[in-house]
Amino acid sequence: MDAEIKRYLNILEGKQEKLELNKLNYDRNELAPAISKDTMDYHYGKLAQTYVDRFNKGEGDAKFNKAGAFLHNILFFQYQKPSRNNNPSGKASEFITKHFKTFDKFKEAFAKEAMSIQGSGWVYLARNGKIKTIVNHEVRDDIVLLIDWWEHAWALDYQSDKQKYLENQWKIINWNAISSTLGLAE
Ligand SMILES: [Fe+2]
């Protein structure tokens, strides 16, 4: 776990020259039903890998590909097998309570911001406690918790029901990973 966190922080700080797609801490079928294996095969196995490969080969828009790889490495690091009552713990819980009072209020604010996104993008909880969005891809250094809002992340499993997609994301967030990010970078 420590090595994973270190790697994540290097990515977060933009220290890696050659990019790589980080290994998953779970099997591709283990996030179901929140995320199906088919979506993981495409999203992680093909799409995220393509950003990495194209950046390393110098193909296409380097900035776009680097940001795409960067964001997907953060995204897939944050997941774990689904569980009931998967509520924030540790530093993540303290952070959410401090900025939003309750987990429900946080989820509500997060959903509101996410649903306001037009087109492709990302929504994330930032280090200052605000919920921010990213248009397409962009490297940011203040990400605490990140959700992919591109169509490829939800369309296969949820058609157009993005609310449901987001609700199910909360079942697979690894709050220890979020706490580690908060703890190590302070
Ligand atoms: Fe994605």
Side-chain angles (χ1 to χ4, degrees), residues 20-178:
E20 59 182 57
L21 185 61
N22 289 346
K23 293 215 166 19
L24 300 175
N25 295 318
Y26 43 84
D27 290 333
R28 290 185 193 186
N29 61 4
E30 283 184 327
L31 301 181
I35 301 175
S36 69
K37 182 176 181 295
D38 283 348
T39 290
M40 285 302 290
D41 283 343
Y42 175 67
H43 196 184
Y44 173 80
K46 293 205 171 77
L47 202 134
Q49 187 65 55
T50 301
Y51 292 125
V52 171
D53 293 345
R54 283 174 68 80
F55 178 84
N56 289 341
K57 286 184 203 161
E59 290 174 2
D61 181 336
K63 200 175 164 195
F64 181 83
N65 289 329
K66 183 181 184 177
F70 166 85
L71 293 167
H72 283 95
N73 269 336
I74 294 175
L75 178 76
F76 293 117
F77 171 79
Q78 304 171 131
Y79 290 143
Q80 64 181 1
K81 291 181 210 175
S83 58
R84 276 186 206 172
N85 302 320
N86 182 34
N87 293 319
S89 57
K91 280 192 193 303
S93 171
E94 286 169 28
F95 188 85
I96 284 169
T97 305
K98 182 180 163 194
H99 292 286
F100 300 91
K101 300 214 166 42
T102 68
F103 184 38
D104 281 344
K105 282 188 178 151
F106 162 71
K107 287 190 284 188
E108 209 176 290
F110 200 96
K112 196 176 162 202
E113 201 60 36
M115 293 306 283
S116 76
I117 295 174
Q118 302 289 328
S120 298
W122 299 76
V123 53
Y124 71 98
L125 174 61
R127 290 198 172 273
N128 66 359
K130 298 265 190 292
I131 295 160
K132 300 185 180 179
T133 58
I134 293 171
V135 177
N136 292 329
H137 295 323
E138 200 180 307
V139 173
R140 297 275 175 97
D141 64 0
D142 63 342
I143 297 170
V144 174
L145 191 162
L146 177 70
I147 300 291
D148 193 337
W149 215 251
W150 284 58
E151 193 174 314
H152 62 245
W154 45 262
L156 187 63
D157 298 332
Y158 296 92
Q159 288 79 48
S160 61
D161 195 350
K162 291 187 266 184
Q163 287 275 9
K164 187 75 186 165
Y165 160 71
L166 183 57
E167 278 167 32
N168 283 341
Q169 291 283 294
W170 303 125
K171 295 177 186 166
I172 53 171
I173 291 294
N174 178 346
W175 292 106
N176 284 332
I178 305 300

